[in-house]
Amino acid sequence: MAEAGRHSRHAAARRRSRVWPVLLSLVLVAVAVAGGLALHRSSQTDGRAADAATSTPTVDQAARSAAVDQVLQRRSQAVLAGNEQAFLADVDPGNKRLVTSQRTLFTNLRQFGFAKLTYQQLAQQYDDTIAQKHGPSTYLVAVAMTYQIRGIDLVPVRAMLGYTFTQRPNGTWMLVSDSDLDKRLPRGSHQEAWDMSAVLVKRAARVLVVVEKGQDALADKFVTMSLSAVKAVSKSWPGGWNGSGVVIALDDKMVRGADYTQPKNAEDALAMATWVYRTLPGEVTGEGQRADSYVVVNPHNRNKVDARTLAHEFTHVATAPYGPYAPRWLVEGAATYVEFLPMDGQKDLAITQYRLDVRTKYLAKAKSLPADATFFDQADSSYPLSWLALDYLFTRFGGVEVGTLYRELASLGSTQKERDRIMLEHVGMTEAGLFRALKAAAAA
């Protein structure tokens, strides 16, 4: 499945029994529109109130910005250095709940092993209710967290959160809340794995797994499955893949924009590959520049996830940097194609029989390749038909050409005209032509 936030989420679909490969990994993708960095004023606040808050002569905005920058720098350096006292020094000591949650946050952050970590102020916000709660010096600001997990993230990536600061009598600034802005931020913000309750992080080569604190056996199980899946995708994806598999398997039902409180997601989804950004949506491009994806497992269906499930999701991880425009049949077909290939420790699937069954059961009734708009409404047929299309493309044109086709469609295929042009250039047929070719192959 894909991700959330500008995360498009890949959710492995319903009925993943072992009757047939199609039931192994029908992965639903729901696109979560995160919005950009343009945050909203409170409904209780008009423009004049906001202007007054930012232009009052009693506030030296440059000095405040510089002071808050120092607080943010101290917090990031404290995480990198392992200094809990320094991390908590700028937290309101009178807010015991905040101090406790920040202590948990520090402990969580330390387990991830950041090679880089910084916090950057983005845009000041104003909310009269929050100002009345915290006092006249209230400073509410959106913050970008830039980080790179050592051995996992190939490049620094960014996430969003929001902080509320107030000024102490001695002129310094302290953090009084880290949740006041949550409802205004893009979906998935302040829902990183480290933002939850106490976690346990376990690593292996190119693998990082996050579970609840104390769930060591579950972590070990996911590490083993992830290692197998990473190896499979690295071997099978055209041109190879040198990225890493991050698997978040927490009890929380909302993590990184993966929302398992929604009935359909809770019932059908096994996992979602949630996008990770080099630049946030709205900073450089409206969609944001993707760097990678982290996989979030559905706590309702956690015991149904296996190495093939993760191979499907890691294929989405491998292709995430290409762009957002590939047709859904290609996105899901490619992930399912890799998932069904032979894997270490997994029984080989009866692909020849499965191909025949897809042709008989689904292709015979279809009139076209699965359309983006109705893909998930017709998931039972969309996934096998998409797999069949990729099976045909890999067999006829080879992995190199399929990989190149995917890259160009993902980066440039924003319109049907562009999709047709790219398809004709690389495989000599449009999407409609590919469907006709599938029909012809089935009749041969």
Side-chain angles (χ1 to χ4, degrees):
M1 151 143 192
E3 187 199 76
R6 221 71 157 178
H7 310 207
S8 174
R9 298 168 321 207
H10 302 330
R14 68 182 64 175
R15 300 183 340 222
R16 305 248 322 211
S17 66
R18 284 313 171 93
V19 178
W20 275 112
V22 67
L23 305 182
L24 294 174
S25 183
L26 295 184
V27 182
L28 304 178
V29 182
V31 177
V33 179
L37 301 179
L39 307 179
H40 312 293
R41 292 192 176 104
S42 166
S43 59
Q44 302 134 318
T45 306
D46 62 19
R48 289 171 297 177
D51 291 342
T54 58
S55 61
T56 172
T58 61
V59 176
D60 184 334
Q61 296 182 44
R64 179 181 63 192
S65 181
V68 170
D69 278 343
Q70 292 177 3
V71 173
L72 297 177
Q73 184 177 18
R74 284 194 294 270
R75 285 172 65 80
S76 61
Q77 290 178 341
V79 172
L80 295 174
N83 188 336
E84 182 184 89
Q85 183 177 358
F87 186 80
L88 298 175
D90 296 302
V91 178
D92 179 8
N95 188 336
K96 302 303 181 184
R97 179 177 295 181
L98 180 63
V99 171
T100 298
S101 68
Q102 289 290 300
R103 182 173 285 114
T104 299
L105 172 63
F106 174 83
T107 302
N108 287 348
L109 288 169
R110 281 291 299 167
Q111 293 186 70
F112 282 82
F114 293 106
K116 297 179 181 179
L117 176 63
T118 62
Y119 296 98
Q120 172 194 359
Q121 296 181 69
L122 294 177
Q124 179 185 1
Q125 299 296 294
Y126 185 78
D127 188 303
D128 187 60
T129 301
I130 296 173
Q132 290 182 26
K133 177 182 178 181
H134 296 297
S137 67
T138 298
Y139 178 51
L140 185 63
V141 63
V143 173
M145 175 184 178
T146 301
Y147 65 90
Q148 186 172 14
I149 302 174
R150 183 175 291 107
I152 298 296
D153 298 311
L154 298 178
V155 297
V157 295
R158 285 162 75 79
M160 280 192 71
L161 59 155
Y163 283 157
T164 307
F165 295 95
T166 62
Q167 194 171 27
R168 295 184 175 104
N170 66 1
T172 60
W173 291 81
M174 65 180 178
L175 179 69
V176 296
S177 175
D178 66 351
S179 60
D180 289 335
L181 256 186
D182 283 358
K183 291 183 179 180
R184 303 188 194 184
L185 296 174
R187 180 178 179 176
S189 300
H190 201 211
Q191 291 180 356
E192 299 293 339
W194 47 77
D195 292 318
M196 307 302 162
S197 55
V199 303
L200 168 67
V201 177
K202 287 205 172 184
R203 284 173 169 266
R206 296 174 60 192
V207 167
L208 184 147
V209 170
V210 188
V211 298
E212 303 289 334
K213 182 179 179 180
Q215 293 186 344
D216 294 71
L218 181 65
D220 291 339
K221 173 185 174 182
F222 271 102
V223 166
T224 299
M225 293 189 301
S226 298
L227 284 168
S228 178
V230 164
K231 181 179 179 181
V233 178
S234 299
K235 174 184 177 182
S236 301
W237 187 247
W241 171 57
N242 64 347
S244 299
V246 175
V247 178
I248 302 169
L250 298 172
D251 294 340
D252 298 271
K253 298 177 180 63
M254 294 181 68
V255 182
R256 306 202 81 251
D259 185 356
Y260 295 119
T261 66
Q262 297 179 19
K264 189 171 181 62
N265 280 352
E267 176 186 354
D268 295 343
L270 296 190
M272 297 182 179
T274 59
W275 302 338
V276 183
Y277 293 93
R278 290 189 293 116
T279 64
L280 293 166
E283 283 188 312
V284 177
T285 67
E287 297 83 8
Q289 295 173 308
R290 302 182 200 174
D292 216 329
S293 292
Y294 298 162
V295 175
V296 180
V297 174
N298 183 356
H300 298 286
N301 294 327
R302 196 157 46 199
N303 63 344
K304 299 178 183 178
V305 173
D306 61 12
R308 289 193 180 277
T309 308
L310 296 181
H312 182 115
E313 298 304 324
F314 291 165
T315 303
H316 289 312
V317 175
T319 56
Y322 298 170
Y325 300 124
R328 190 57 54 202
W329 63 264
L330 179 59
V331 173
E332 294 304 330
T336 308
Y337 179 82
V338 173
E339 175 185 359
F340 288 178
L341 293 175
M343 285 182 59
D344 290 350
Q346 301 294 307
K347 183 179 179 180
D348 286 355
L349 303 176
I351 294 299
T352 300
Q353 182 61 47
Y354 177 61
R355 185 183 298 113
L356 178 61
D357 287 353
V358 173
R359 288 171 171 174
T360 302
K361 186 174 182 179
Y362 300 110
L363 182 62
K365 301 176 183 178
K367 299 185 183 304
S368 67
L369 291 174
D372 291 355
T374 59
F375 191 97
F376 303 112
D377 295 332
Q378 303 166 9
D380 286 353
S381 60
S382 295
Y383 279 92
L385 286 172
S386 297
W387 172 86
L388 187 67
L390 268 293
D391 177 60
Y392 177 87
L393 290 173
F394 270 96
T395 301
R396 179 171 174 183
F397 298 99
V400 173
E401 195 63 63
V402 173
T404 303
L405 175 69
Y406 196 130
R407 285 176 172 83
E408 292 204 17
L409 283 170
S411 62
L412 301 173
S414 58
T415 66
Q416 189 60 54
K417 181 178 179 180
E418 280 298 293
R419 286 184 178 182
D420 289 344
R421 179 190 64 79
I422 294 166
M423 289 281 294
L424 285 168
E425 178 181 342
H426 288 282
V427 295
M429 64 186 86
T430 64
E431 290 175 283
L434 173 58
F435 179 75
R436 290 192 295 271
L438 295 180
K439 286 278 196 177

